[in-house]
Amino acid sequence: MPADPLHSAGKPQRSTTSQPTNGSRASAIEVRRSARRRRTVSAYREGDRTVVLIPARMSEAEEQRWVNVMLDKLAAQESRRLLGDTELAERARRLSDQYFGGRARPVSVRWVTNQNTRWGSCTPSEGSIRLSHRLQGMPEYVVDYVLCHELAHLLVPGHGPRFWRLLEEYPRTERARGYLEGVVAAERLPHVPGGE
């Protein structure tokens, strides 16, 4: 999120600085509290630091929760900005080298917007891999898992025991599958009006 000059003007009521807790690329987090800010929370990168702007009345627990939420949002935005089709293909090549001895070589790897019920798909006969745009902004290990899943299909077309043994080479398989299952479950929850 870009810097907001309206919120950076004037002296904040309280400012704290800490180290990131969730693997953020920024080296420090600065929380600025403002009595003028009522409900909104925003964040932006300032060099190697992340600045999070919050209302002064927030508790320490709310502050920590919002810092984590905003770090995740910034990381998701940066991931979407930085990972195009070319970078996705390069990432697939690196994953193939690392986990499959370079044997899985796709002809094309790209994002698509027409996969709303699948995370990815592969056509082994064409050597093409397509990832759903819904993965953009998810943690890197999740995108890497889906890429590994589709790369494994280039070597083993079905979902038999040989396929799953091959996919076990990727060490975060279970964690990524759990993450994606959680996303699917959350999408099925009823929407509560007025909820966050």
Side-chain angles (χ1 to χ4, degrees), residues 149-163:
H149 185 106
E150 303 310 332
L151 287 167
H153 278 309
L154 292 176
L155 304 173
V156 180
H159 285 107
R162 190 169 151 239
F163 171 84

Side-chain angles (χ1 to χ4, degrees), residues 65-179:
R65 182 177 77 82
W66 276 106
V67 165
N68 289 332
V69 165
M70 298 312 289
L71 286 174
D72 288 345
K73 282 187 177 186
L74 285 172
Q77 288 174 345
E78 290 163 355
S79 175
R80 279 192 295 271
R81 268 197 305 270
L82 300 175
L83 197 61
D85 288 349
T86 303
E87 293 86 4
L88 195 62
E90 175 59 25
R91 197 165 176 172
R93 187 196 60 75
R94 284 194 316 268
L95 290 167
S96 175
D97 290 345
Q98 186 173 1
Y99 299 111
F100 306 115
R103 294 177 297 140
R105 288 285 180 213
V107 173
S108 69
V109 182
R110 62 190 175 96
W111 295 108
V112 294
T113 58
N114 63 349
Q115 289 188 26
N116 294 314
T117 58
R118 297 173 162 191
W119 297 113
S121 62
C122 174
T123 307
S125 62
E126 297 173 3
S128 62
I129 292 176
R130 295 158 305 280
L131 295 190
S132 172
H133 72 285
R134 297 181 311 136
L135 288 165
Q136 292 177 320
M138 288 190 187
E140 286 185 13
Y141 74 91
V142 175
V143 175
D144 286 351
Y145 162 73
V146 177
L147 275 172
C148 283
H149 185 106
E150 303 310 332
L151 287 167
H153 278 309
L154 292 176
L155 304 173
V156 180
H159 285 107
R162 190 169 151 239
F163 171 84
W164 292 110
R165 276 193 306 275
L166 189 60
L167 196 53
E168 285 174 1
E169 292 298 314
Y170 181 65
R172 292 180 159 186
T173 291
E174 288 306 312
R175 182 177 179 197
R177 288 183 64 170
Y179 184 97

